[in-house]
């Protein structure tokens, strides 16, 4: 079972519980209302989207793995991407004490970047190996235990 969890995390960058959460969240937006044309199941559609987001690989490589066409893979990614936009403000929040226009002006003043409201960076923070059944969830692609931290920065002037 641990190898399955590693496989899921390596390919989709989500735990199995995270994928189940996304299935429950997005199913009303993704589920087909008809059984015509052998529509992809919601679980497969979400997994194709997550694999694309996690790897950035070309769509035809997903077609080979999933035994679907490039067009079907592209359609699956779109079916996942569009409903995720609905939840954008639920999962991504910006500072409430600084206006977006002030942040844009700050970025422009620092580096002459127009219309920028944030810069994203990721970092692997090493941790001690946790005990328990989820230990494998904390092993990164370089084979050490870490937590992936994502930071959204504004300009230094805001």
């Amino acid at each position: 079972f641990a190898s399955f969890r590693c496989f899921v995390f390596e390919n989709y960058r989500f735990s199995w519980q995270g994928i189940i959460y996304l299935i429950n969240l997005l199913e009303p937006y993704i589920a087909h209302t008809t059984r015509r044309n052998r529509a992809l199941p919601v679980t497969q559609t979400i997994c194709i989207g997550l694999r694309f987001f996690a790897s950035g690989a070309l769509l035809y490589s997903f077609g080979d793995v999933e035994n679907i066409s490039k067009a079907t893979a592209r359609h699956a990614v779109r079916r996942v991407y569009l409903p995720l936009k609905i939840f954008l403000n639920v999962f991504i929040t910006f500072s409430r004490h600084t206006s977006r226009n002030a942040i844009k002006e700050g970025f422009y003043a620092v580096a002459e970047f127009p219309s920028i409201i944030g810069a994203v960076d990721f970092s692997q923070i090493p941790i001690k190996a946790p005990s328990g059944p989820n230990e494998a969830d904390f092993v990164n692609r370089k084979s050490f235990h870490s937590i992936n931290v994502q930071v959204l920065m504004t300009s230094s002037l805001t």
Side-chain angles (χ1 to χ4, degrees):
F1 189 70
S3 63
F4 172 74
R5 281 200 317 254
C6 284
F7 170 81
V8 168
F9 190 77
E10 285 176 6
N11 286 288
Y12 305 110
R13 297 289 185 228
F14 271 84
S15 66
W16 182 244
Q17 293 88 353
I19 293 173
I20 297 297
Y21 175 80
L22 285 175
I23 290 168
N24 291 330
L25 181 71
L26 300 177
E27 186 170 23
Y29 304 95
I30 294 176
H32 290 278
T33 56
T34 180
R35 295 199 181 268
R36 291 177 43 192
N37 298 331
R38 296 172 294 185
L40 293 177
V42 171
T43 302
Q44 186 179 19
T45 301
I46 289 174
C47 286
I48 291 168
L50 291 178
R51 194 160 188 175
F52 176 76
F53 302 146
S55 70
L58 299 174
L59 289 171
Y60 68 83
S61 64
F62 298 117
D64 293 344
V65 172
E66 297 284 338
N67 197 26
I68 57 175
S69 70
K70 179 181 172 184
T72 301
R74 183 180 65 241
H75 187 67
V77 169
R78 182 175 170 81
R79 288 185 69 83
V80 174
Y81 167 76
L82 290 176
L84 280 175
K85 284 177 48 179
I86 295 169
F87 297 99
L88 184 70
N89 292 327
V90 173
F91 296 110
I92 300 174
T93 58
F94 289 92
S95 170
R96 296 182 187 199
H97 67 274
T98 306
S99 75
R100 289 189 181 178
N101 281 339
I103 295 170
K104 287 179 185 180
E105 290 170 6
F107 268 109
Y108 192 81
V110 169
E112 295 186 11
F113 287 147
S115 301
I116 302 296
I117 58 171
V120 177
D121 193 17
F122 296 89
S123 184
Q124 294 286 332
I125 307 298
I127 61 170
K128 291 182 181 178
S131 60
N134 295 331
E135 178 267 337
D137 292 344
F138 294 93
V139 178
N140 66 23
R141 63 183 173 84
K142 294 185 178 178
S143 299
F144 67 88
H145 292 86
S146 67
I147 295 177
N148 190 11
V149 178
Q150 178 180 355
V151 179
L152 176 66
M153 300 290 298
T154 62
S155 70
S156 61
L157 300 178
T158 57

